[in-house]
Amino acid sequence: MNKKKYWLAGIAIIILAAILTFYFIQKEQDRKREEARVAINLVAMGDSLTEGSGDEENDGGYVGIVESKLAKREDVRSVTTENYGVGGNRSDQLLKRLDTQSDFQKDVKEANAISITIGGNDVVKVIRSKLLDAEKSDFTKANAKFDANLTKLLDEIRDLNPDAPIYVFGIYNPYTTYFSEMKVLDDIIADWNASTKETLAKVNDTHFISVNKQLEERSATKTGKANPNLSSDLFHPNHSGYQKMAEALYEQMVTSIQKGNIE
């Protein structure tokens, strides 16, 4: 009888030990899995596209949409965003804000991802100042100034934060439906985006986010009608347009997460 009790007690101890071992192994795996999940701190800066102008659903434009998309990922622990988008900002004005605003600088230092929309208002400034008299050379001069400002902006960001991936959106032509005959603007936008890519290539871990194909409308059936990707002002994206911007950014950020560049 005593032997049977000892035998049963031994079995019970073995079972309990196995259960405890499995429990602690599972806990350790859960801990490692949780540690591997990234806490994203995205600082978005730039113009009205970062501010979210035109988003009829008031979802925060691409910033709010990409935050929601990232938060649903298993490899993401949390997502926080700081939005430094100001409508109407040109590259020189964004650079000045970063140079002079201590809260802005602090948030950039603490970010592990940075997104930028800038350049559209630099182009619009030429259009407004020259109206129909604007020549391609006017945009070439403006582009050179923009590239110089963008270089300074990226240098300043890297001084504050050497490691966070930087995602810079390209610009797009909002006039492809109502002013489809303005072919010269297509060339200007293409040249502008190409020079932006060249500027980014000189700075580590920077990424060009192309959105002109997603936001421009080239269908002949849409000529003379409102671009379905734009808001009622015919310039800023609507919610659908911002979703396309967010998707382009999301794809690149996921690549950065998987490579371990956002940590």
Side-chain angles (χ1 to χ4, degrees):
M1 191 69 177
N2 287 338
K3 287 183 179 181
K4 187 175 181 181
K5 287 182 179 180
Y6 286 131
W7 181 79
L8 291 174
I11 294 294
I13 291 171
I14 291 171
I15 292 172
L16 178 60
I19 292 171
L20 289 173
T21 299
F22 176 79
Y23 171 79
F24 286 113
I25 289 174
Q26 189 66 43
K27 290 285 286 184
E28 180 63 13
Q29 288 176 341
D30 290 344
R31 185 188 67 79
K32 288 181 178 180
R33 192 159 36 243
E34 183 63 21
E35 282 184 353
R37 299 174 75 203
V38 65
I40 296 174
N41 181 10
L42 171 66
V43 169
M45 65 178 74
D47 51 27
S48 54
L49 298 187
T50 292
E51 192 177 41
S53 298
D55 184 354
E56 72 278 11
E57 295 191 17
N58 296 316
D59 204 12
Y62 84 84
V63 180
I65 296 169
V66 81
E67 179 180 1
S68 297
K69 287 177 66 67
L70 289 167
K72 295 174 183 176
R73 291 185 59 84
E74 285 294 326
D75 53 2
V76 172
R77 185 185 312 127
S78 62
V79 185
T80 58
T81 60
E82 297 293 341
N83 193 320
Y84 285 93
V86 174
N89 259 198
R90 301 183 307 272
S91 55
D92 58 318
Q93 294 169 318
L94 173 58
L95 181 60
K96 184 176 181 180
R97 284 199 289 127
L98 184 58
D99 280 338
T100 58
Q101 296 179 9
S102 58
D103 287 348
F104 195 175
Q105 294 170 2
K106 177 177 177 292
D107 284 336
V108 168
K109 284 181 181 179
E110 295 175 353
N112 60 2
I114 297 166
S115 65
I116 305 172
T117 62
I118 202 69
N121 292 305
D122 295 69
V123 174
V124 169
K125 182 182 178 182
V126 178
I127 295 174
R128 287 177 176 170
S129 64
K130 297 283 186 173
L131 296 176
L132 296 178
D133 294 327
E135 298 180 358
K136 194 170 181 180
S137 60
D138 296 315
F139 292 97
T140 301
K141 292 176 184 176
N143 194 355
K145 290 181 180 178
F146 172 78
D147 286 337
N149 288 334
L150 181 60
T151 297
K152 290 179 183 177
L153 178 67
L154 295 172
D155 286 345
E156 175 114 0
I157 291 171
R158 278 290 172 251
D159 285 343
L160 294 167
N161 188 324
D163 301 318
I166 302 171
Y167 309 95
V168 180
F169 283 91
I171 61 174
Y172 61 95
N173 181 359
Y175 306 117
T176 55
T177 54
Y178 275 115
F179 301 101
S180 58
E181 71 280 1
M182 292 177 61
K183 301 298 183 184
V184 66
L185 193 54
D186 284 336
D187 295 335
I188 290 163
I189 298 297
D191 291 345
W192 198 284
N193 285 333
S195 64
T196 298
K197 290 179 186 178
E198 292 177 5
T199 299
L200 294 179
K202 301 171 186 176
V203 182
N204 70 298
D205 208 357
T206 57
H207 308 273
F208 181 81
I209 309 295
S210 177
V211 293
N212 55 326
K213 289 182 179 179
Q214 295 94 318
L215 296 180
E216 294 171 1
E217 177 54 66
R218 299 289 175 176
S219 172
T221 61
K222 296 293 183 181
T223 301
K225 300 177 182 179
N227 183 332
N229 298 310
L230 302 183
S231 64
S232 58
D233 65 11
L234 306 179
F235 186 84
H236 296 98
N238 55 22
H239 187 75
S240 176
Y242 278 121
Q243 283 180 318
K244 294 177 180 180
M245 289 181 66
E247 182 62 33
L249 176 59
Y250 173 81
E251 289 178 3
Q252 187 59 64
M253 289 187 70
V254 168
T255 299
S256 296
I257 292 169
Q258 292 172 342
K259 288 182 176 180
N261 293 339
I262 298 179
E263 54 185 9

